[in-house]
Amino acid sequence: MEQQLVSAHDIFPHIRIVLGMVIGLGVTRLLSGLARIVQHPGQYRLYSVHLAWVVSVLLMLVHFWWWEFGLFQIETWTFGKYLFIIFYAVTLFLLCALLFPDSMLDHTSYEDFFYSRRAWLFGLLAATYLLDVIDTLLKGPEHFARFGVEYLFRTPVFVTLCVIAILVSDRRFHIAFVAAALVYQIPFILRLFDTIV
């Protein structure tokens, strides 16, 4: 019996479906959390830094789903590459779960929750920046080179800021960090990812 070969272009849609499910769970978690705030506005005191990170992570999820189309360039898929991509998506989902937990009973406000879980939150955020480097390399040297020196500078800076955010509970630092992240993130996406290829 003749064995039928499956091309990389046949495999890619299958992988995108799995990624879409995991990313969809993350988007659902964030949107459900925001809906809960609208439904019960007085239940827990809101915190602007927490909400700004919710916006930033939501933008990361939408961006992730957009830029992962670049995976179609991979000629040979292995289980290791597939596992890595799923792990990256799961890490993003876990960020969402940390921003909106199942229960806030042990906390008086989103601010209290945010600072009590900041080591987990910023540890995972730092991991996503590092995973992004591997993801970019998977798409090939031309794709990696497209981002130039800025990318090589951006990653260590954001990882360092995440480590500081783990160690420091100063409110001014956290306001500045999330503001800088959003101010950088939006133009970065528009400049480098405006088109899908």
Side-chain angles (χ1 to χ4, degrees):
M1 184 153 84
E2 189 177 327
Q3 183 179 4
Q4 188 175 14
L5 296 177
V6 179
S7 75
H9 297 291
D10 295 327
I11 296 170
F12 179 62
H14 176 71
I15 292 168
R16 286 217 10 126
I17 289 168
V18 176
L19 283 179
M21 289 188 303
V22 177
I23 295 304
L25 289 171
V27 170
T28 301
R29 186 74 173 231
L30 293 180
L31 295 180
S32 296
L34 291 171
R36 197 164 50 246
I37 287 172
V38 172
Q39 292 166 354
H40 308 286
Q43 189 173 22
Y44 294 102
R45 198 165 21 100
L46 300 180
Y47 183 46
S48 59
V49 172
H50 169 262
L51 289 174
W53 279 117
V54 169
V55 170
S56 180
V57 172
L58 183 59
L59 188 56
M60 283 175 77
L61 292 173
V62 172
H63 183 211
F64 178 85
W65 182 241
W66 178 259
W67 89 61
E68 286 307 321
F69 187 78
L71 294 171
F72 82 92
Q73 299 170 355
I74 295 176
E75 293 295 326
T76 306
W77 277 98
T78 64
F79 187 72
K81 289 177 185 176
Y82 168 73
L83 201 59
F84 168 78
I85 296 299
I86 298 302
F87 178 73
Y88 190 178
V90 167
T91 303
L92 289 168
F93 168 78
L94 291 174
L95 272 174
C96 300
L98 279 169
L99 286 167
F100 284 115
D102 291 328
S103 172
M104 291 271 294
L105 293 177
D106 297 336
H107 305 280
T108 58
S109 66
Y110 282 103
E111 181 177 6
D112 174 43
F113 174 77
F114 178 81
Y115 287 106
S116 72
R117 295 293 183 268
R118 73 180 187 277
W120 279 100
L121 178 69
F122 291 108
L124 282 170
L125 186 59
T128 64
Y129 289 120
L130 295 173
L131 291 170
D132 182 60
V133 173
I134 299 167
D135 178 76
T136 304
L137 286 169
L138 276 177
K139 293 171 186 155
E142 286 179 14
H143 183 79
F144 190 86
R146 175 180 166 205
F147 304 118
V149 177
E150 176 185 359
Y151 189 71
L152 298 174
F153 178 74
R154 168 190 173 265
T155 302
V157 166
F158 275 106
V159 169
T160 301
L161 289 171
C162 286
V163 171
I164 295 169
I166 290 169
L167 301 173
V168 172
S169 61
D170 183 272
R171 272 53 177 168
R172 290 167 301 179
F173 169 81
H174 284 276
I175 291 168
F177 183 19
V178 73
L182 281 168
V183 164
Y184 177 80
Q185 185 179 14
I186 294 167
F188 178 76
I189 292 169
L190 294 176
R191 279 187 297 114
L192 298 174
F193 297 93
D194 188 43
T195 57
I196 204 160
V197 288

